[in-house]
Amino acid sequence: MTELIDRWRAAARDAGAPDGPALDRAGEELLARWREPQRRYHTVRHLTAVLDVIDAYAELADRPDLVRLAAWCHDAVYDPRAPGDANERDSAALAGTLLAGLGLAGEAVAEVRRLVLLTAGHAVEAGDRDGALLCDADLAVLAAPPGEYDAYAAAIRAEYAHVPEPDFRAGRARVLAALLALPALYRFPPLAARWTGPARANLTRELATLT
């Protein structure tokens, strides 16, 4: 996990946080959250995958440092029993407290909070390059090869093991339908060209099994 802490430290420093023990403690706190036992998909592996996409396409963003910080925080609070967008709202609140405590400027903190909240519905306004990169990275798994996608879907089901099968099927179907109804699953042309077709095929295939 040393490499991940190094990536956290670099993003926070680029955003204006001073180096020091507090910075390392914040990164370790976030990693501890990403390792919580109730997680099956929303784990360190997901965090790393999102960061890898952001790094690969950082030139598309206006503030890639803030997009990286938002990636670190976007699922930092994850309770499968929480209603609605409570996890995203709580993650945004945590981001605000954590980053303000590290000395980031108020505008930067507010922007990270805004980005985290976008991951609740993945609806991004035209021209929002930072929001587009975060949401495209967060949804990259939808375009995975079928076997990998099925493993992701199974991990989501495991996170919601407490939900009876009929209720899970209905709720999951609503989520998939909402994703398919987005004006665009991916906003940046190089990502949309590669990922839209496989993602829509995966979503449609899973939706058919649920309904």
Side-chain angles (χ1 to χ4, degrees), residues 140-202:
V141 67
L142 303 183
E148 186 177 334
Y149 179 90
D150 291 346
Y152 145 75
I156 294 293
R157 181 63 182 108
E159 288 182 338
Y160 286 87
H162 60 282
V163 178
E165 185 68 14
D167 295 340
F168 176 81
R169 284 174 171 268
R172 180 68 176 165
R174 285 194 296 272
V175 170
L176 300 183
L179 288 168
L180 286 167
L182 286 171
L185 274 171
Y186 304 105
R187 288 83 180 169
F188 286 120
L191 300 179
R194 287 173 50 203
W195 292 349
T196 299
R200 293 189 68 84
N202 281 328

Side-chain angles (χ1 to χ4, degrees), residues 14-83:
D14 288 348
D19 210 347
L23 195 58
D24 288 350
R25 286 195 298 271
E28 289 162 2
E29 176 187 341
L30 287 170
L31 275 182
R33 289 176 173 275
W34 283 93
R35 294 193 195 106
E36 291 166 339
Q38 78 275 16
R39 299 168 183 259
R40 295 296 182 271
Y41 169 70
H42 294 88
T43 63
V44 170
R45 182 178 180 182
H46 172 58
L47 169 63
T48 303
V50 172
L51 290 172
D52 287 347
V53 173
I54 293 168
D55 285 351
Y57 296 94
E59 75 279 359
L60 299 177
D62 295 318
R63 290 290 306 271
D65 52 334
L66 300 186
V67 181
R68 292 184 181 100
L69 293 182
W72 273 90
C73 295
H74 82 286
D75 284 322
V77 177
Y78 187 73
D79 177 3
R81 297 176 183 271

